[in-house]
Amino acid sequence: MDTFLVLLMLAALAGVVFFVVLALAGKGSRRGNFAKSGGCLLAVLVLVFVVGSMEEDSPVSEDAAVDTSEEDTEAEDKAEQEELEAEEAEEQKQEEQEAREAEEQAQKEQEAKEAEEQARKEEEERKAEEERKAAEAEENSLTLSQEQAISMAEDYLNYTAFSKSGLMEQLVFEGFSQEEAAFAVENITVDWQEQAVMMAQDYLDYTSFSRQGLIDQLTFEGFSTEHATYAVSQVGF
């Protein structure tokens, strides 16, 4: 379009020159006047046409400029939107990473706590086992005097009844120390309530007693009032 306008301008200029030459050559004649008038008119028309074309192109240029401005604005908005989306994606990624790290830390703490609890249980079991073994070792390492005290206590119980305190006194009478006698009495299997019943029956086999008298006698022998009362009831009182 610009080339066309240039050609028109050149043509108008050539026409003006031509009609000016004619006007000068035919000075004073009707032809000269006509050529002068026609040349001026033609030049004016061409110039008007050129100017009009330029004015028509001007809005197009302005429209093109407006379209370009809108495209630039849209491109900037799109770039800003993409940047915002990228920032949001980065923030979300960071939050997910922090959440994973927090979960891993909580899991590690839980595992450490469970391991500590397991270690504590194992330590308690180990100590309990050591105490059990120590007790067994102590039980298996009886002195000769302790073994003899236990043996004599069992022998006495095989042919007559005793209370716990009565049996201890009998072992001390036999020459054992108070500690050895107590050890022997504590390490034999015996039902002291049943011993009270047996002694109550022994007394009734060779002599007579009232109910209260038999209870008092059993209490004197070292039985508790509860065991003595139970024994007297068992033998028929």
Side-chain angles (χ1 to χ4, degrees):
M1 188 65 183
D2 293 339
T3 303
F4 179 70
L5 291 176
V6 171
L7 293 175
L8 286 177
M9 291 176 68
L10 292 175
L13 181 60
V16 169
V17 173
F18 176 73
F19 284 112
V20 168
V21 172
L22 289 178
L24 293 176
K27 186 176 180 183
S29 64
R30 180 178 296 175
R31 180 180 297 177
N33 292 331
F34 175 77
K36 185 185 295 184
S37 300
C40 292
L41 179 61
L42 180 61
V44 170
L45 290 175
V46 172
L47 289 175
V48 170
F49 179 76
V50 171
V51 171
S53 299
M54 292 177 65
E55 289 179 352
E56 289 178 356
D57 289 342
S58 184
V60 174
S61 300
E62 292 178 358
D63 292 341
V66 171
D67 292 340
T68 303
S69 178
E70 291 180 353
E71 290 177 357
D72 292 341
T73 302
E74 291 178 356
E76 290 177 358
D77 293 341
K78 184 176 180 180
E80 290 179 357
Q81 182 65 25
E82 291 176 352
E83 183 178 357
L84 181 60
E85 291 176 354
E87 290 178 356
E88 291 178 351
E90 183 65 24
E91 290 178 358
Q92 183 176 2
K93 182 179 179 181
Q94 183 67 22
E95 291 176 356
E96 292 176 354
Q97 179 67 22
E98 291 176 355
R100 284 195 299 270
E101 291 177 354
E103 184 178 356
E104 291 176 356
Q105 181 65 24
Q107 184 176 359
K108 289 180 180 178
E109 291 178 356
Q110 181 65 23
E111 291 176 352
K113 184 177 180 180
E114 291 177 355
E116 182 179 356
E117 182 67 18
Q118 182 65 24
R120 185 183 63 80
K121 289 181 179 180
E122 291 177 354
E123 180 65 17
E124 291 178 353
E125 291 176 356
R126 185 186 64 79
K127 289 182 178 180
E129 181 65 16
E130 289 178 354
E131 291 175 357
R132 185 185 65 80
K133 290 181 178 180
E136 290 180 353
E138 182 178 355
E139 182 180 351
N140 294 331
S141 60
L142 298 178
T143 65
L144 181 60
S145 294
Q146 290 172 337
E147 292 178 354
Q148 292 299 310
I150 291 174
S151 179
M152 183 171 288
E154 292 175 344
D155 289 342
Y156 271 115
L157 291 174
N158 286 333
Y159 71 86
T160 188
F162 278 93
S163 66
K164 185 176 182 179
S165 60
L167 185 56
M168 287 179 59
E169 291 175 358
Q170 184 63 36
L171 293 174
V172 172
F173 176 78
E174 293 290 347
F176 293 101
S177 67
Q178 189 72 29
E179 291 77 12
E180 291 169 343
F183 180 85
V185 171
E186 293 294 340
N187 286 276
I188 58 176
T189 302
V190 57
D191 185 347
W192 299 112
Q193 184 170 262
E194 185 62 27
Q195 290 293 311
V197 174
M198 293 171 59
M199 184 173 286
Q201 188 62 54
D202 289 342
Y203 272 116
L204 291 177
D205 286 343
Y206 69 86
T207 188
S208 299
F209 280 92
S210 66
R211 174 181 173 81
Q212 188 59 47
L214 187 54
I215 291 174
D216 292 341
Q217 184 62 36
L218 293 175
T219 303
F220 176 77
E221 292 290 348
F223 292 103
S224 67
T225 302
E226 181 182 359
H227 285 174
T229 303
Y230 172 82
V232 170
S233 298
Q234 288 298 111
V235 296
F237 278 107

